[in-house]
Amino acid sequence: MTAGTPGQEAHETDPQALPDSAERLRVARIGKPHGIRGEVTAQLYTDEPEQRLAPGAELIRTPGAQTLDRSTTTLTITRQRWNKNIALLSFAEISDRDSAEALRGSTLYVAVPALEDTDEDGWYSHELAGFSCVDAAGQPLGTLKELLTGAAQDLLVVTSGSGEEVMVPFVEELVPEVDVENRRIVLTPPAGLF
């Protein structure tokens, strides 16, 4: 799962860039139309499509480089289904194939809570990326590159001082503390992991 909040200059030149004030999570990219009633295929960027793309969900749409409709709009999902392994989406605002074609290449985002408002057991990768990782004694271990979410457990990808990427299971035994205020994560890795 990824999201971005580029600077204002990027926003003015890149139609897919988000303003500084945005806290958004990229969830899908609109593909080609499917049928004649406005349904579209979607490339998913979320591991929770049933929740993020449920009927009634409001998504922020930004145009892609080749998108015919260049405006940023909000789309409301009316239906999400699967055709084999392809996700299909329908929107309240789109009712025909031509309107669906105009959206091709657009990126869909959901608004996410700010890090301070997130409960202690849930973070997004973009919120933790760049945090320093230290051992229980405060000795540096590296910098968090990203948080990978998985079905069984999440993993922290830490870039060590030597540049090696080390994966640490995001469980309390190995990650006893996430200090948001100081942008620091305390790790208690097994011997030899770093």
Side-chain angles (χ1 to χ4, degrees):
M1 300 187 285
T2 59
T5 52
Q8 188 63 33
E9 291 128 16
H11 179 63
E12 291 169 0
T13 59
D14 180 0
Q16 290 195 43
L18 301 172
D20 288 334
S21 60
E23 278 295 330
R24 300 177 185 175
L25 179 69
R26 181 178 67 164
V27 292
R29 186 178 63 79
I30 296 176
K32 63 183 180 180
H34 183 81
I36 60 171
R37 294 191 176 108
E39 193 172 42
V40 297
T41 62
Q43 177 183 4
L44 302 182
Y45 299 115
T46 177
D47 57 351
E48 301 173 328
E50 294 78 17
Q51 177 186 355
R52 300 269 186 223
L53 304 173
E58 290 189 0
L59 304 175
I60 301 158
R61 183 194 70 84
T62 60
Q66 303 300 320
T67 307
L68 298 176
D69 181 346
R70 305 297 301 157
S71 60
T72 297
T73 56
T74 301
L75 296 173
T76 305
I77 292 189
T78 56
R79 183 177 183 199
Q80 186 251 343
R81 68 183 183 97
W82 293 90
N83 182 8
K84 298 182 183 174
N85 62 346
I86 298 171
L88 300 173
L89 301 175
S90 297
F91 305 102
E93 300 81 3
I94 307 300
S95 60
D96 61 63
R97 186 176 182 89
D98 290 340
S99 298
E101 180 63 44
L103 300 179
R104 185 187 273 201
S106 296
T107 303
L108 300 174
Y109 297 86
V110 294
V112 296
L115 185 56
E116 308 82 58
D117 301 332
T118 307
D119 68 39
E120 65 181 56
D121 293 331
W123 290 282
Y124 294 104
S125 183
H126 72 279
E127 295 171 323
L128 298 179
F131 277 35
S132 63
C133 297
V134 298
D135 64 16
Q139 295 300 310
L141 295 172
T143 304
L144 185 70
K145 178 181 178 188
E146 64 183 321
L147 166 66
L148 297 176
T149 56
Q153 70 183 21
D154 296 342
L155 294 170
L156 297 177
V157 180
V158 180
T159 304
S160 69
S162 65
E164 179 184 1
E165 287 187 0
V166 180
M167 293 193 182
V168 180
F170 198 175
V171 295
E172 191 171 349
E173 181 180 317
L174 301 177
V175 187
E177 181 183 352
V178 176
D179 182 353
V180 173
E181 187 175 318
N182 294 307
R183 297 183 49 83
R184 185 179 74 138
I185 300 172
V186 177
L187 304 175
T188 56
L193 187 60
F194 280 88

